Amino acid sequence: RTEPWPELVALEERQRRANAALMEANEKQCTMSVRESVDYIRPIAEEVRACMPEDSISVGEAHRVLSSALWYAGDFEEAAAEAAESLRIHLKQQPPRAHVLAFLRHLLAVVLTHLGRAPEALEHWRELLKLCRRNGARQEMAVAHREIGRILRAQEDVNGALIEAGAALEIHAEGRCRPEEVAKTKQLMSELYQTLYRYEDAVASYEEAIRLHREAGSHDAERATAHDGLGDCLLYLRRLPEALEAYSEALRLYRSGEADACRLAVAAANVAHVRERMGFGSHDAAIEAHSAATEVAAGARGMVRSAALVHQATALQNANRLDEAADCLRRALAQDPPPSDAERSVVLTNLGGVLYHQGRRDEAIEAHEESLALLRTLHGEGDISMASSYSNLGQMLVLAGRLDEAEDMLKRSVGICEGAQGASTSAVLQRAHMGLGTLYLQRKDGGAALDALRESFRWLGAGGEVRDHMTLYMRTAYAYEILGRLLDALVLFSEAGMRAERVKDREHVKEARARMDHIVEFAVGEDDYEDGADDP
């Protein structure tokens, strides 16, 4: 025959129309709502796949355009499947189209990260980085470095994450990247500093990220997460007024940014928590806020649930509702899926404190020893994260009367902190020295106790919590009493009593007054004391 087959003519016309419709759909999808876009593109993509040869570029493009629409619509599982099929087809083409491969790698990396399939996402980010490097796409390289860093951080490879974040910042320094991208990288670096206990560095980095977010006009929810992280660091450094300001700003931004209920509840609980620690918020308000956060976090990821339960337990413990606090922490340990080893270590440390106050000292020590063993497995013997755990266990052993073991643990904690480079260890050093001071008080060594407690005061500084000041004043007063310096002891018992009244700690108010009465009675004689007892 010299004439074309009618069937072939019809097929070619069908293919031409399908291709034209696909090109039009690719251009029009940005003008539609995400759901309309999917409904419009899906039948066109099916028509292309039906009339085009398998593994042709047109079929690959049909998968790609549909995957893009599904991505924006939030249908991540189907988007990942469509993008993977498109990538498979495009990789067969010679020569492959680099910009299409880059788009598909980026889409797959983002979607798989969202689906929690981190190893697969990491592979696509690394392949995207290679493509960008070959094509000189510096801005896209910075994004890939940062996102690889995020995944490595989630996998607890902090050093690898630092290298990737540093590489992204080097590219940002060239001045060719958008401010919002620089802000995101700065925020990742802040989180890494925080993980490494470099809280001073983290504070400076968070403040820079917040400034960049503001200049870039970033979404309120993004700015809120930076304020949240800043609040966490300031809280660790015991800069409570600044922490309250950061958390309050995070709460305001979450509200204006229409954040989900979980973020809002956790932010409100953070504000209540700091107010309570500063001594002008009630226990009941903190408990109510943390209970609300725990309730809405029930469907969130493990880390969020664990943190909410730990904070609720802390508020209950401060209100002396110990059974409820222990129940919260046991619920955190019994989650399904179970918490990671790092989360489990935090929960066990808090459970140890509650068990001690319940009078169950052996169980408390077991909880702290299990926490220490988990951290040793995760980080190694000399890691800075071990310092706090050694200090916690040492203080439990002091209170259990196992003084030699306690002294070894507390001195290990101090040694790790003193050898740490760039880490913010003031809080750990303050508690370790306070533990040593308590230990020496039990040995009736007033001089050694006084030296250790002065070190604890030095690391506490002026911005610490009211409860810590109260405890240190009380223990230093006992040291002065052992040394026979009764006037100094009297003054410090008075200071401790005033702070105990401020945080409504009736037991310590009673203890401070009893010691003051004893000192006055001992100093001036029982008869004279009774005669003047009613004299202000």
Side-chain angles (χ1 to χ4, degrees):
R1 288 172 63 100
T2 57
E3 296 293 326
W5 291 97
E7 295 87 347
L8 182 59
V9 172
L11 177 60
E12 287 176 346
E13 179 61 19
R14 183 183 176 190
Q15 290 174 340
R16 186 190 66 76
R17 288 180 179 176
N19 263 330
L22 183 64
M23 292 174 64
E24 184 180 1
N26 190 30
E27 293 172 359
K28 287 177 66 174
Q29 66 171 315
C30 60
T31 65
M32 303 177 181
S33 71
V34 289
R35 199 69 259 169
E36 286 175 340
S37 177
V38 172
D39 293 341
Y40 176 66
I41 291 170
R42 191 188 295 279
I44 295 172
E46 289 172 355
E47 171 65 8
V48 171
R49 291 198 289 263
C51 69
M52 293 290 183
E54 186 180 359
D55 291 354
S56 65
I57 288 182
S58 294
V59 172
E61 281 297 281
H63 284 295
R64 183 185 69 79
V65 174
L66 180 57
S67 71
S68 177
L70 290 164
W71 174 23
Y72 287 116
D75 295 340
F76 297 118
E77 288 282 3
E78 192 178 354
E82 292 289 337
E85 184 62 16
S86 178
L87 180 64
R88 182 189 69 78
I89 293 169
H90 279 288
L91 284 171
K92 288 184 174 183
Q93 310 305 317
Q94 292 300 327
R97 296 190 290 173
H99 69 282
V100 174
L101 294 180
F103 173 85
L104 289 167
R105 293 284 188 192
H106 183 269
L107 188 154
L108 279 164
V110 172
V111 169
L112 292 169
T113 300
H114 185 88
L115 292 171
R117 292 157 62 180
E120 298 168 75
L122 186 60
E123 180 185 348
H124 286 293
W125 281 120
R126 285 181 167 149
E127 288 298 322
L128 175 61
L129 186 59
K130 292 177 187 175
L131 284 168
C132 294
R133 191 174 285 124
R134 282 200 295 268
N135 297 320
R138 301 289 286 169
Q139 183 166 299
E140 288 74 15
M141 280 177 64
V143 171
H145 277 300
R146 183 185 68 231
E147 297 307 319
I148 290 170
R150 284 192 195 281
I151 294 173
L152 292 176
R153 175 178 177 261
Q155 294 176 343
E156 299 185 355
D157 182 1
V158 180
N159 291 329
L162 273 173
I163 291 169
E164 296 295 338
L169 287 174
E170 281 183 21
I171 296 171
H172 291 324
E174 298 170 5
R176 290 188 285 176
C177 297
R178 296 189 301 273
E180 60 268 28
E181 297 298 338
V182 184
K184 290 175 184 177
T185 307
K186 272 286 182 184
Q187 193 161 330
L188 172 61
M189 188 62 85
S190 307
E191 293 162 2
L192 293 169
Y193 285 144
Q194 195 173 344
T195 304
L196 293 169
Y197 293 77
R198 292 171 59 179
Y199 289 98
E200 297 286 359
D201 293 332
V203 166
S205 189
Y206 271 124
E207 288 173 343
E208 178 68 7
I210 288 167
R211 182 187 66 78
L212 289 165
H213 276 309
R214 192 183 302 116
E215 289 178 2
S218 300
H219 191 271
D220 284 350
E222 282 188 299
R223 291 167 58 198
T225 58
H227 282 284
D228 236 346
L230 177 61
D232 291 342
C233 295
L234 292 166
L235 185 61
Y236 183 89
L237 294 170
R238 304 186 184 192
R239 291 159 59 177
L240 299 184
E242 296 167 80
L244 181 59
E245 183 181 348
Y247 282 140
S248 299
E249 181 65 7
L251 179 59
R252 185 189 71 78
L253 289 166
Y254 279 136
R255 282 173 175 159
S256 63
E258 299 180 352
D260 59 70
C262 180
R263 286 186 180 276
L264 277 172
V266 171
N270 286 337
V271 171
H273 178 63
V274 179
R275 286 177 58 83
E276 183 201 13
R277 287 177 66 166
M278 291 177 72
F280 55 79
S282 71
H283 292 316
D284 290 342
I287 291 167
E288 185 179 347
H290 285 302
S291 298
T294 301
E295 187 175 337
V296 298
R301 289 174 300 167
M303 187 180 294
V304 176
R305 291 198 304 271
S306 296
L309 286 163
V310 167
H311 289 151
Q312 184 182 357
T314 301
L316 289 164
Q317 184 180 351
N318 289 341
N320 207 33
R321 291 162 60 176
L322 300 178
D323 291 342
E324 295 169 78
D327 179 61
C328 274
L329 295 168
R330 290 195 178 96
R331 281 161 55 201
L333 291 173
Q335 291 179 87
D336 184 24
S340 68
D341 284 350
E343 294 159 17
R344 187 176 178 82
S345 171
V346 172
V347 176
L348 285 166
T349 296
N350 285 271
L351 181 59
V354 173
L355 289 169
Y356 171 77
H357 287 292
Q358 287 181 312
R360 298 156 68 176
R361 291 185 176 179
D362 291 340
E363 292 177 66
I365 289 169
E366 285 176 12
H368 280 292
E369 287 175 337
E370 187 178 346
S371 173
L372 183 64
L374 287 169
L375 287 175
R376 187 181 287 115
T377 302
L378 283 169
H379 304 297
E381 185 63 40
D383 189 80
I384 184 62
S385 62
M386 298 288 289
S388 181
S389 197
Y390 275 129
S391 176
N392 291 327
L393 178 56
Q395 290 177 75
M396 287 291 107
L397 292 169
V398 169
L399 299 170
R402 293 160 59 178
L403 302 186
D404 291 340
E405 297 171 74
E407 187 172 18
D408 177 54
M409 292 290 155
L410 292 166
K411 286 183 174 177
R412 284 193 195 188
S413 175
V414 172
I416 291 172
C417 290
E418 290 176 345
Q421 297 294 320
S424 303
T425 56
S426 57
V428 180
L429 282 167
Q430 183 264 315
R431 293 195 178 277
H433 282 294
M434 184 164 68
L436 286 168
T438 308
L439 183 152
Y440 295 135
L441 284 176
Q442 290 203 21
R443 288 178 176 169
K444 303 298 181 186
D445 186 346
L450 191 59
D451 289 342
L453 293 167
R454 280 173 174 163
E455 276 296 293
S456 186
F457 264 118
R458 182 169 76 85
W459 288 109
L460 178 61
E465 296 177 47
V466 176
R467 288 182 181 278
D468 284 329
H469 281 283
M470 175 197 75
T471 304
L472 277 174
Y473 277 127
M474 189 77 79
R475 293 182 188 178
T476 307
Y478 278 118
Y480 280 132
E481 196 172 1
I482 291 169
L483 293 169
R485 295 170 57 176
L486 299 184
L487 181 58
D488 291 326
L490 185 66
V491 170
L492 291 188
F493 278 127
S494 174
E495 291 282 353
M498 285 190 288
R499 281 159 178 77
E501 284 181 344
R502 184 174 167 186
V503 294
K504 300 178 178 62
D505 188 333
R506 294 183 181 86
E507 289 299 317
H508 279 99
V509 170
K510 184 178 177 181
E511 181 183 351
R513 287 177 178 169
R515 296 313 302 169
M516 290 168 68
D517 286 348
H518 174 76
I519 289 170
V520 174
E521 182 181 340
F522 178 82
V524 301
E526 184 176 349
D527 295 337
D528 294 335
Y529 173 68
E530 288 178 352
D531 290 341
D534 296 329
D535 186 345

